Structure formats: structure tokens, C-alpha cells
Amino acid sequence: MTNARYNLDEPVAAIATALAPAALGIVRASGKNCIEKIAEIFSRPKALKEAGGNSIVYGWILDKNTKSEGENAEKIDEVLISVFRAPKSFTGEDMCEISCHGGVSVVNAVFETLLKNGFRQAEKGEFTFRAYINGKSDLTKAEAVREIIDSKTSDSRSHAAGRLSGSLFEEIDSIKTLVTDTLAAIEVDIEYPEDEETIADSFDPKMLENARDRLCELASSWKSEKIYQDGAKIVLAGKTNAGKSSLFNALLKEDRSIVSDIEGTTRDWIESWVSFDGIPARLFDTAGLRKTDDIIEAKGVELTEDLASNADLVLYLVDSSKGVLDDDKKFLEKNKNIPVIVVFNKMDLAGENEKSFEEFLAYEGIKDSVKISAKKGIGIGELTSLVKKTILNDSTVKSEKIGLGSERQKKSVEQALERVEHALEIAKDETYGLDAVVQDLEDSLDSLGEVTGEVTPDDVLGSIFSHFCVGK
């Protein structure tokens, strides 16, 4: 299998580290005659050509295009070249990774020298594409590479690392075995109908039922996995001086938002990424809700309501020192279709007001609430746990759980599940022959093959790898 965007006969190179001042920069190269071509611009060509796989060679990258008669080539940078011999490399081809000094001009100079000497600039994701084509990776692992790069929390990274290590591939492969064994047994029945003993034992629905249950669990995993990848949108809302900015700072563990006793301090929203026990979230601190003649503040209140209406979760803060006010009730009633956690803040100042909180929650039918003091750091841990449980809608989700890593994978798994379910249904219907079951099971195997990349159109491959960065 090939792809029009990638010419696998050409050696490619790319800058694999960020173009910013740093201690080190890395320029990657892979493909046919990769090591020999770099040796032509290396101060120790013989040492590089003779280097074994998984070894490092010291020397200088040279710009031989600047060499005049009787002069030595210009030295560009002192480098270490990591050598990887096919097939024991990331791409399955001969590879080199040139570690140079991390200045922007230095890294660019090394890269440009490779381009002048027979290398083509790699396309986005081309190194990972070559790894896939050369059998060093399946699509679940390839997509996990991008997930790890984009991960926002340690749990996000952990989930992606599980797929990179092969957990999803192994689960898909195990399910395929169940379907394949069932298919083989049915085909024996079709080929040898006169063998009564074989007919009696040919179709055992238990294996297909097992496959169905595991496919169903995989399909349902995407909802939580998508949250780990993309993050949730969480909005802090409440009346002025309810303590939204104090909670925002407490969750970020830094003073990002201005805290003041003066009402209307926050007139616009600010946002930042934060982790709720491993769940990445875009947290919004918003303008306090109140009627105001200030045009700018009024616009901020309008933006707060818009943000809340599109949030995955609203943390609505109630100032416990003032109790539940009519404006609090109006907001919660207006937004009753949005997931809300009522946060009773300033509980250290609640006094007699606390007695009315449970009655209020019961009357409004609010299930999720927590009592905190953002200023004193009380109850933040409990709030974090409740947010995670509410967002995932499943308090038993664990980081080691096998899950899907993309919408593409989910679609293919759902198609496989649909065919397996249909096979189980028609197997019970005497009006259908076993040939119909065979067709369903073959279709389900094709769908599962799309997940791992055994059966994947070129346009799908192009879409997957085009979302990678250059150099990966």
C-alpha cells in the first residue's frame, strides 16, 4: 500500500524539535541510502558508514557547497548522529537522528544542508506513515503517537500510551479471533452438512455474544476517551463576589484572576487549562451575574450566559454568607438542562444559612453540590473528584481501561458491532441460511481491520497522517 502524498523511494528529512532556542535540536532522516548520503556531508564518513545499528557517532556536519579549490568544507556544527539500521528503527528503514546545538539558525543550517544533498523535506506524519507501511506500527499505535504529543494531562498521556503499547490492537485482535473461530465453525457446517456431529457443534453463539459485549464496551469508551483528549469546557458562574475568581486561582494554583471585594471586577471572561484529577478542562472565570447599567459589565454578563449555555459543566457558586438568593434560583431554573454542580462557597461564613441549603437542593431537584471555601482551600479536593465523576458520568472509569482513540476507530467498531448483532439475530431465524451469518461476520472482520489498518483506503490514511506534525 502506498499513498500519493509520500514517495517512499526518496530519503526524507525534517526538524523534529521545536524551532526555538534550546540546549539541543534534532534533525531526523530516513529512507534509502540515508546513512550514505549523510556520510557525504560528515567529517567522519567512514565511521558513519561502518557504524552498527543503535550506535552514536561523533563529528561535524559540513557544508561542502561552500568548498573552494584547495579549501576545506565549512563546518556547520559539532553533532552526535544516532544510527538505526533497518529493520530495527522507528520507520523500519535506515535512519539517522542528528543531535546538534539548539539554536534556530544552527538547526536550520543542518536541515538545509541535508536538503541540498539528496534529501526531500518530509511531509506531515511521514515518518509514522513509513513505520505503518513497513509493518512497524498499526493504525491504533500510529494515532496514539499524535495523542501523546497532544496530551494535556498525565492521565491523557497514560491512556494514549496504553494504545501505543498495543492494548487496543490486542483487544481488537482478540475479538477478531472470536469472530474468525465462529466463522470457521459455520463454514465447516456449510461444507460438510452430512456430518451430524459437526452440525451439532458448529455454531456456538457464546463466542459471538462475547465479541458483541466487548465491542459494545469499546464503542462506549469513546465518550470518556474523547474528554481525555479534547478536554471539557467548564464555566464558573454565579453572582458578583460569589468567589469565582478565588476558586479559579485555587484550581490553577496560581493568581491568574483578580480578586476584589468590589463588585463587577471581572467584566470579561478569562480561561486556562486545568486538570480535574486527570481530566483536562478549559476553565472559564466569568463576569458576575447581576443587573447593571455599565455597558461593558452588561456585555460581560451576556457572555457569561452564552458560555454557560454551551458548557459541558457549570460550576455555579453560591455565596454562603448571603445564602441562596432569587437570582441564583433564576439562573439555575433557566439552565436546568445544563449539567450543573452547585458550589456553596465561603462555607466558613455560612452561619445559619447552611440550614436552608439541603432544603433548597431538594426543592430544585439538584443532585450535585459541594461545600467549599476557595479562599481557605477547604473542599477543593472534594470538588475536583465530583467534577471528574460528573464529566465522565462513571465514577468507576480507570486510567488502565482499554479505550478507543479516535472518531474513526469508533465508527469502525460500531459497524463491526452492528454486523455481529445482526448475525446473532438471523442465526436464530430459520428463514435465513448460514450463508447470511457468514456475510455478516466477514463484514465485521473488515470493519475491525479498518481500526488497525489492515483494510484502509488511501484517502483515510492521508487524513490520519496529515494531522501529525512534520518530523513525526
Side-chain angles (χ1 to χ4, degrees):
M1 183 184 294
T2 58
N3 187 282
R5 295 182 61 234
Y6 309 120
N7 185 343
L8 302 183
D9 292 328
E10 297 175 337
V12 294
I15 298 170
T17 47
L19 269 178
L24 294 174
I26 296 176
V27 178
R28 258 184 155 180
S30 181
K32 187 177 180 180
N33 298 322
C34 163
I35 297 172
E36 290 74 16
K37 286 184 176 296
I38 294 179
E40 295 174 6
I41 55 171
F42 191 55
S43 61
R44 300 175 62 213
K46 183 179 179 181
L48 185 58
K49 289 178 182 179
E50 295 178 353
N54 304 316
S55 62
I56 298 176
V57 183
Y58 161 80
W60 286 79
I61 293 293
L62 308 174
D63 185 356
K64 294 193 174 182
N65 294 315
T66 62
K67 181 179 178 181
S68 301
E69 188 175 347
E71 294 182 356
N72 294 324
E74 178 187 346
K75 291 181 177 179
I76 293 178
D77 193 26
E78 188 178 24
V79 302
L80 293 175
I81 301 181
S82 300
V83 179
F84 306 94
R85 298 279 182 178
K88 296 182 178 181
S89 71
F90 174 72
T91 62
E93 307 169 323
D94 283 351
M95 282 188 70
C96 286
E97 291 188 352
I98 304 171
S99 298
C100 57
H101 292 94
V104 174
S105 63
V106 175
V107 176
N108 273 324
V110 171
F111 175 57
E112 292 294 337
T113 303
L114 293 183
L115 297 185
K116 293 175 185 175
N117 288 273
F119 286 88
R120 168 175 63 80
Q121 178 171 334
E123 298 286 341
K124 288 183 177 181
E126 184 163 0
F127 289 93
T128 310
F129 177 81
R130 290 181 177 224
Y132 163 69
I133 290 297
N134 292 322
K136 302 296 289 186
S137 174
D138 70 281
L139 282 191
T140 65
K141 294 179 182 178
E143 289 176 298
V145 171
R146 180 176 57 82
E147 289 179 53
I148 284 182
I149 293 171
D150 294 341
S151 60
K152 299 174 178 67
T153 67
S154 59
D155 279 11
S156 301
R157 175 198 50 74
S158 177
H159 283 233
R163 284 183 281 275
L164 182 60
S165 68
S167 63
L168 178 56
F169 176 86
E170 291 169 3
E171 177 67 3
I172 293 293
D173 198 50
S174 178
I175 294 171
K176 284 174 61 180
T177 299
L178 292 172
V179 176
T180 302
D181 288 351
T182 304
L183 184 59
I186 293 174
E187 288 179 337
V188 169
D189 189 1
I190 294 173
E191 291 293 326
Y192 304 102
E194 70 282 357
D195 189 340
E196 293 183 3
E197 195 171 310
T198 303
I199 294 172
D201 299 331
S202 64
F203 182 68
D204 182 1
K206 290 182 180 178
M207 285 196 294
L208 272 191
E209 289 167 356
N210 187 3
R212 175 200 61 198
D213 294 343
R214 289 164 71 175
L215 285 170
C216 187
E217 185 175 355
L218 272 181
S220 64
S221 72
W222 173 238
K223 181 178 180 181
S224 61
E225 291 298 325
K226 190 175 190 300
I227 291 172
Y228 276 107
Q229 288 183 26
D230 298 343
K233 181 179 179 181
I234 300 179
V235 173
L236 299 177
K239 286 185 60 61
T240 53
N241 277 11
K244 297 181 296 299
S245 296
S246 294
L247 180 56
F248 186 82
N249 292 340
L251 291 170
L252 264 63
K253 298 182 175 63
E254 61 177 286
D255 292 334
R256 279 286 307 278
S257 192
I258 297 173
V259 176
S260 172
D261 291 333
I262 301 173
E263 293 189 349
T265 302
T266 304
R267 298 188 170 201
D268 198 356
W269 53 264
I270 62 172
E271 65 172 290
S272 183
W273 283 100
V274 64
S275 171
F276 284 92
D277 195 16
I279 298 293
R282 287 172 63 201
L283 184 66
F284 292 81
D285 180 20
T286 64
L289 300 170
R290 67 167 181 169
K291 291 183 178 180
T292 176
D293 294 328
D294 188 305
I295 297 176
I296 297 176
E297 187 182 350
K299 181 63 176 178
V301 172
E302 183 181 334
L303 288 172
T304 297
E305 293 175 343
D306 288 342
L307 283 169
S309 65
N310 293 296
D312 295 307
L313 177 65
V314 173
L315 302 183
Y316 188 84
L317 274 71
V318 172
D319 184 344
S320 298
S321 67
K322 297 179 181 178
V324 181
L325 304 177
D326 288 341
D327 285 344
D328 297 323
K329 296 176 182 178
K330 288 178 182 178
F331 177 89
L332 294 170
E333 178 64 26
K334 181 180 179 181
N335 296 281
K336 59 184 177 182
N337 294 323
I338 303 170
V340 174
I341 294 176
V342 175
V343 182
F344 294 103
N345 191 29
K346 306 182 186 179
M347 279 302 299
D348 51 315
L349 304 175
E352 292 295 318
N353 292 328
E354 187 173 358
K355 296 179 181 178
S356 64
F357 293 162
E358 296 303 324
E359 181 181 339
F360 161 72
L361 293 172
Y363 178 77
E364 294 292 338
I366 296 171
K367 297 179 181 179
D368 296 319
S369 65
V370 64
K371 298 174 181 179
I372 71 166
S373 172
K375 190 173 182 180
K376 296 191 174 183
I378 299 171
I380 302 300
E382 184 182 349
L383 171 61
T384 297
S385 298
L386 182 56
V387 167
K388 180 176 182 177
K389 179 180 178 180
T390 304
I391 289 292
L392 292 180
N393 197 28
D394 180 3
S395 61
T396 64
V397 171
K398 298 180 180 179
S399 61
E400 65 268 20
K401 180 181 177 181
I402 298 170
L404 300 177
S406 70
E407 189 76 45
R408 179 195 70 82
Q409 294 171 7
K410 174 177 176 287
K411 182 179 179 181
S412 295
V413 166
E414 286 179 335
Q415 289 173 344
L417 174 60
E418 181 181 346
R419 301 325 302 166
V420 168
E421 288 177 332
H422 190 254
L424 284 167
E425 288 177 13
I426 63 176
K428 300 174 184 176
D429 192 335
E430 294 182 359
T431 61
Y432 289 94
L434 287 177
D435 286 339
V437 179
V438 168
Q439 185 61 57
D440 274 332
L441 298 187
E442 288 178 344
D443 289 345
S444 72
L445 288 174
D446 285 344
S447 294
L448 292 175
E450 290 178 0
V451 178
T452 57
E454 295 168 76
V455 183
T456 307
D458 279 0
D459 58 340
V460 174
L461 292 178
S463 174
I464 291 170
F465 291 101
S466 66
H467 289 89
F468 283 61
C469 57
V470 174
K472 196 57 186 167

